[in-house]
Amino acid sequence: MDIEFLSSTMVTLLKALPVTLALFALSVSIGCVLALVIVWMRVGGNRHLAGFAKGYIFVFRGSPLLIQMFLVFYGLAQFDFIRNGPLWPLLREPFVCAVLSLALCTAGYSAEIFRGGIRSVPPREIEAARAIGMSGFLLVRRIIAPIALRFALPAYSTEVVLMMKSTSLASLVTVWEVTGVAQRLISHTYRTMEVFLCAAVIYLVLNFIVLQAMALLEHFLSRHLRAAPPAAKA
């Protein structure tokens, strides 16, 4: 191992870190919003919307993310109404296509995770809230959403970590994030071990930060379940 080469490689890869973080933040944010819309379709009671949501989840959970990314990046340009449409200046950009494909994919997985969290809300909690006059958005905001999020958070944290790792696929559609830059370095230096070792360390640190943030959020949401301190009991 050449320490000097490792140091220079780490510096080079860190310069691509903002692209990786932007891919991750945008795809997870857009995917989360889209997942909430899909969950609303799935549990809203409308048969047609529920059928669409089931089909969406089946397609994006049942097909590989890499194929979805290729279809978005290479496939959208095959349609004249897209090339001539107002969104074409955005959709022709590799970064936008990568974010779109990542967001669409994670929305399918996240929707099922959120639906499982909603189904885990005890019925007696909802009945108690309705008994004191809660209904509609107030019931969702104060009762259903916090409890469902607490149940869904462990599984959703896994999905978020998977999305961080999935940003590496964006290099295959010419987005130069950490993995893409690592591949370019390998093509110039032929030192695969050192370059990918540095990339792996970066992803490990990023995922550690994400997991710690999720653990803090879970700790905050579950504070009422922890035993009260002796002073409070007294």
Side-chain angles (χ1 to χ4, degrees), residues 158-202:
T158 302
E159 172 62 18
V160 171
V161 169
L162 289 175
M163 286 305 300
M164 175 66 77
K165 294 187 289 186
S166 296
T167 57
S168 61
L169 296 176
S171 62
L172 299 177
V173 292
T174 68
V175 178
W176 300 117
E177 39 72 62
V178 171
T179 303
V181 173
Q183 291 174 341
R184 292 174 64 180
L185 283 175
I186 291 171
S187 66
H188 293 148
T189 63
Y190 300 100
R191 303 179 72 166
T192 305
M193 182 67 178
E194 293 95 328
V195 175
F196 275 150
L197 181 62
C198 292
V201 169
I202 292 174

Side-chain angles (χ1 to χ4, degrees), residues 17-107:
L17 185 59
V19 179
T20 295
L21 293 177
L23 278 172
F24 170 75
L26 289 174
S27 59
V28 170
S29 301
I30 297 173
C32 182
V33 174
L34 184 56
L36 293 176
V37 174
I38 296 171
V39 170
W40 172 77
M41 292 180 179
R42 185 77 186 271
V43 303
N46 186 296
R47 182 168 55 88
H48 300 290
L49 292 179
F52 173 82
K54 289 179 182 178
Y56 180 95
I57 293 170
F58 173 76
V59 169
F60 284 95
R61 292 178 69 196
S63 57
L65 173 57
L66 182 58
I67 293 179
Q68 297 171 20
M69 191 172 292
F70 282 158
L71 287 174
V72 171
F73 183 67
Y74 296 108
L76 292 180
Q78 305 299 316
F79 300 98
D80 292 333
F81 71 92
I82 291 180
R83 290 200 307 271
N84 299 325
L87 296 179
W88 178 240
L90 289 176
L91 294 177
R92 69 184 178 183
E93 296 295 329
F95 181 85
V96 175
C97 290
V99 169
L100 180 60
S101 57
L102 290 169
L104 291 173
C105 182
T106 191

Side-chain angles (χ1 to χ4, degrees), residues 221-234:
L221 293 175
S222 304
R223 62 188 185 276
H224 64 286
L225 299 177
R226 293 187 291 273
K233 291 181 180 179

